Amino acid sequence: MTTTYWSADIETMPRERIELLQFDLLADTLRRCTNVPHYREALARVGAEPGDIRGLDDLTALPCLDKSMLRSLQPWGIQAVPLGEVARLNATTGTTGLPCNIAFSRSDLRNIGELGARNLTAMGVRPDDVAWQCYGYGLWIGGSSLDRAFEEIGVTTFPAGPGRTSLAIERLRDLGVTVLSCTPTFALLLIERAHEAGVDPGTDWKLRVGIFGGETMSPAAMSRLAAAMPAGFRPHNTYGTTELGGPFVAGTCEHAAEQGAFHVWADHHLIEILDPETDERITEPGVRGELVVTTLQRQASPMLRWRTRDLTSWVEDSFDCPCGRRGHPKISWISGRSDDVLKVRGSLVMPSQVEDVVCAAVGTGVGWQLVVDRDPDGLRATEAIVVVELADGADPGTPFELESRLRDRLGIRLPVVAARAGELPRYEGKARRVLGLAEFADVAPAVAGRLPGTPISSEPAVR
């Protein structure tokens, strides 16, 4: 593996120097936050002045900020600079409620380019690459952020956005595109449609780097995606949110990608991992918790203890990586969201666990859904069925094999219903893997008619 850096001095800075820098930047952030009434009130409630917060232990005295609070502060949110200093406003996707406006100063936008260039360079992207950029535009920050990162490095970019799959399949072949940026779900869709069009991604495309993000991606799904691409293709994972300033909070180097981890850029983000139930800080490797982030260089919309709801963990060698970025800690890839965990017959089920089992099985297609019967008493779900497309010629016993593997992985039985290729919805952006009965009936009526009973039964599925 070849290690390359965009900003070598900061990327290879020792952990001790990074931590000193973090706390200087934290002091600046807190002073900036006094321009925001919400933060002033939070400091007053705990009887603290900005100068009293000198480290992570002091910071935890402050309450976390979450999406419901941010929505209550709209339309201007936590804007910390005058409107004349706001160069851009982006908005959250609104997939879980009212979209929230997030402000960016010119310095904030420059930082997007810098962090993006670090991410992409660590992934092996070079100035002589040609990129097909499929993240969304509009008010969402994904597409414009990738554009900034590609421009910073000098990459030739096609800002295609999501969709237009037929055009993408042809252009990836005809233009010798080497870098693809999109959700992993859309990448799998491109591969499926390419085969349908008589195009072999493994030989007809020249892709060598994939920049995937915007949704969780299990290791098995990532392996399946990579296996369909040209020899030497490397799939990478980028992580971020609009609230935190874009998709470059963390990213993979070649070593971290193989480990299922990514580096958090610690000169811009101070992170905590908390137990979602107790809010106690987690420090042990491998213990899953919720990622909480404090931004350190955001001017227009600084975030103090932002609850991402994304689940991750410290890895065994968080502050040690052969790539040399030892001051920028590694955390595991996002495995799901704390508000997306399903409770099925008293057991917790994460969609990413189901995806990992489905994608590792031989004979399964691109489409799969977790169909749930919502509990009126407040639990996330009482029963669930896994619906999986089977490839042509798949072993008829595949659903039974999947049930067995899911039981081993989850500790409970989930019925598996087989669908034919193309019967389940396709997603060009973020996939919606968990659907209620009525939602599923709307998007896949033919399959919904084959589900065992309504409400969903825990009896063996009818195949």
Side-chain angles (χ1 to χ4, degrees):
M1 296 181 183
T2 301
T3 299
T4 53
Y5 307 104
W6 179 255
S7 299
D9 289 347
I10 191 69
E11 290 181 55
T12 61
M13 187 177 286
R15 177 182 178 182
E16 295 76 14
R17 287 184 59 197
I18 287 281
E19 289 177 345
L20 290 174
L21 177 61
Q22 281 183 325
F23 297 136
D24 287 342
L25 292 169
L26 178 61
D28 292 340
T29 294
L30 287 162
R31 284 192 290 271
R32 195 174 300 118
C33 285
T34 59
N35 296 325
V36 181
H38 172 81
Y39 289 139
R40 286 202 306 270
E41 293 166 8
L43 286 164
R45 282 197 298 272
V46 298
E49 298 288 336
D52 298 332
I53 311 297
R54 299 180 180 178
L56 196 55
D57 290 337
D58 297 331
L59 186 65
T60 54
L62 296 176
C64 291
L65 176 66
D66 63 20
K67 185 64 73 68
S68 64
M69 296 178 191
L70 189 59
R71 288 196 186 103
S72 72
L73 300 171
Q74 293 303 302
W76 301 114
I78 50 169
Q79 186 177 312
V81 298
L83 191 58
E85 295 180 23
V86 174
R88 184 183 180 97
L89 281 162
N90 284 96
T92 58
T93 58
T95 53
T96 58
L98 176 73
C100 297
N101 295 323
I102 306 295
F104 294 82
S105 69
R106 285 163 180 80
S107 175
D108 295 333
L109 296 180
R110 286 193 294 271
N111 284 338
I112 289 176
E114 161 68 20
L115 294 178
R118 289 188 204 175
N119 261 18
L120 271 56
T121 301
M123 296 171 183
V125 177
R126 306 184 301 246
D128 61 349
D129 275 314
V130 177
W132 192 263
Q133 201 304 103
C134 299
Y135 287 109
Y137 291 91
L139 288 174
W140 191 54
I141 198 170
S144 62
S145 295
L146 265 294
D147 285 349
R148 287 181 183 276
F150 285 134
E151 288 169 6
E152 191 81 8
I153 293 175
V155 173
T156 301
T157 309
F158 289 90
R164 306 180 74 185
T165 54
S166 297
L167 178 66
I169 290 163
E170 295 173 359
R171 294 296 174 88
L172 289 175
R173 177 192 62 197
D174 299 340
L175 298 173
V177 174
T178 54
V179 176
L180 175 67
S181 56
C182 61
T183 63
T185 294
F186 186 54
L188 289 169
L189 176 60
L190 285 174
I191 291 169
E192 179 187 58
R193 296 289 167 80
H195 285 298
E196 292 173 357
V199 174
D200 183 354
T203 57
D204 295 334
W205 292 349
K206 305 301 180 187
L207 290 171
R208 62 179 195 83
V209 178
I211 303 163
F212 303 121
E215 60 187 12
T216 60
M217 184 72 166
S218 71
M222 194 73 90
S223 296
R224 172 178 284 196
L225 193 160
M229 293 294 192
F233 174 85
R234 291 190 176 275
H236 285 275
N237 200 336
T238 187
Y239 170 74
T241 70
T242 301
E243 298 92 338
L244 295 176
F248 304 127
V249 172
T252 50
C253 66
E254 293 189 10
H255 303 276
E258 291 187 351
Q259 189 180 8
F262 34 42
H263 291 276
V264 176
W265 298 115
D267 59 319
H268 284 258
H269 309 98
L270 183 61
I271 67 169
E272 308 165 65
I273 299 178
L274 304 183
D275 184 311
E277 299 295 328
T278 67
D279 285 350
E280 293 294 320
R281 195 188 310 166
I282 295 171
T283 58
E284 304 92 336
V287 180
R288 189 167 57 206
E290 182 181 340
L291 181 65
V292 174
V293 183
T294 295
T295 60
L296 297 176
Q297 297 198 43
R298 290 285 302 285
Q299 290 185 345
S301 290
M303 290 284 169
L304 286 184
R305 304 197 75 204
W306 172 251
R307 298 198 78 130
T308 66
R309 302 297 180 189
D310 292 324
L311 298 173
T312 184
S313 64
W314 299 104
V315 298
E316 286 288 347
D317 56 346
S318 284
F319 289 93
D320 185 21
C321 187
C323 77
R325 298 174 179 86
R326 295 182 175 87
H328 301 276
K330 289 183 295 184
I331 58 176
S332 66
W333 288 354
I334 303 302
S335 58
R337 291 177 56 81
S338 60
D339 49 4
D340 279 347
V341 177
L342 305 171
K343 183 169 280 190
V344 181
R345 299 194 300 279
S347 296
L348 298 180
V349 174
M350 297 181 62
S352 60
Q353 295 172 311
V354 176
E355 179 183 64
D356 207 34
V357 172
V358 169
C359 290
V362 176
T364 56
V366 171
W368 71 272
Q369 296 285 166
L370 193 57
V371 185
V372 299
D373 180 21
R374 301 292 182 184
D375 173 20
D377 295 326
L379 296 178
R380 290 288 295 171
T382 52
E383 291 295 340
I385 288 176
V386 180
V387 184
V388 180
E389 287 185 356
L390 298 187
D392 292 340
D395 187 328
T398 299
F400 297 96
E401 177 66 21
L402 282 173
E403 281 191 8
S404 176
R405 293 185 183 185
L406 286 167
R407 186 186 298 113
D408 290 343
R409 180 70 176 270
L410 305 174
I412 61 170
R413 177 185 173 276
L414 294 183
V416 176
V417 171
R420 289 180 287 272
E423 285 192 312
L424 297 182
R426 297 296 189 264
Y427 299 96
E428 295 178 340
K430 293 184 180 182
R432 293 187 62 208
R433 295 301 188 188
V434 181
L435 296 176
L437 283 166
E439 296 172 301
F440 185 70
D442 286 340
V443 299
V447 186
R450 303 200 297 270
L451 294 184
T454 303
I456 293 175
S457 168
S458 59
E459 295 299 316
V462 177
R463 296 176 182 82

